[in-house]
Amino acid sequence: NLHKPEVAVTSGVISVAFGENHSLMLKGTGGVNAVGSGIYGQLFRYGDSAVPRPEKVLDEIVQYSAGKDHSAAIDADGVLYTWGNNDCGQLGTGDYSVKNVPTKVALRSAAKMVWCGDKCTFVQTVDNRMYVFGDNGSHLLAMDTESTTICKPTENYYFSDVVDADIHFGNGFCAAILDGVVYGWGTNV
């Protein structure tokens, strides 16, 4: 049996993205609101703080994603912002420091799509290059490198020149539809 929700959380929302303990909501006006736990700074607070009602985070956003404990958004100019936990470099800022404010990520060209998973981020730019950063354990970033983490945007040549991409994350693995072909990588238990 379906039950009608008793309390409306907010209105004007056109899509929602879920992290482990936080949610992002894109409004029709281009604003992004956040709600949930801010333990890693993903809601602009540190500690055990929580945001029980949606609070505005950014304006003029065209695409966004929520990872396990971090988030990312692209504005109308193609600027990529990330925030939250960064213990594996999943924010792409070149360090491993938690960010509790949206922080610009340096890319060679404007961003058009972003996908966040469990401590990893994939970004597609307008020139159809794919950049990755974060946890590369079990080759989660599909990169052949000896490092288990990548803390700044690094081009993934396997996925560059893909025009139509849609990436989804599971527990230690990824699956994607890239130009109509399904690919999988990561843990294969």
Side-chain angles (χ1 to χ4, degrees):
N1 291 332
L2 295 175
H3 296 283
K4 180 181 175 186
E6 295 189 25
V7 177
V9 176
T10 189
S11 61
V13 174
I14 60 173
S15 66
V16 178
F18 299 103
E20 184 174 61
N21 294 306
H22 71 292
S23 301
L24 299 178
M25 298 165 220
L26 180 64
K27 293 204 162 203
T29 59
V32 169
N33 287 7
V35 65
S37 170
I39 194 166
Y40 294 110
Q42 65 269 41
L43 296 176
F44 316 108
R45 302 168 187 206
Y46 291 116
D48 292 330
S49 65
V51 177
R53 304 283 297 163
E55 290 184 8
K56 186 180 252 184
V57 177
L58 291 167
D59 282 315
E60 299 183 27
I61 298 303
V62 296
Q63 215 274 329
Y64 70 107
S65 184
K68 178 179 181 178
D69 54 13
H70 73 292
S71 298
I74 300 170
D75 72 11
D77 295 323
V79 176
L80 174 68
Y81 295 90
T82 59
W83 63 94
N85 195 8
N86 197 26
D87 60 337
C88 293
Q90 63 263 41
L91 300 183
T93 55
D95 60 22
Y96 297 94
S97 299
V98 170
K99 308 286 190 253
N100 69 339
V101 295
T103 304
K104 288 182 183 180
V105 177
L107 296 169
R108 291 186 180 165
S109 59
K112 71 176 184 179
M113 295 294 292
V114 62
W115 300 270
C116 297
D118 184 359
K119 302 192 181 294
C120 62
T121 306
F122 285 67
V123 180
Q124 187 178 36
T125 55
V126 295
D127 58 356
N128 294 324
R129 299 285 173 228
M130 188 73 73
Y131 294 91
V132 297
F133 37 93
D135 183 7
N136 194 43
S138 301
H139 299 286
L140 193 57
L141 299 175
M143 295 289 287
D144 288 328
T145 177
E146 292 181 19
S147 176
T148 58
T149 62
I150 297 172
C151 67
K152 61 183 178 179
T154 302
E155 187 172 356
N156 183 313
Y157 295 102
Y158 296 119
F159 303 138
S160 285
D161 295 325
V162 167
V163 175
D164 187 26
D166 190 16
I167 301 171
H168 297 272
F169 301 90
N171 188 10
F173 69 94
C174 295
I177 303 170
L178 305 173
D179 287 338
V181 179
V182 176
Y183 294 89
W185 63 94
T187 303
N188 189 26
V189 178

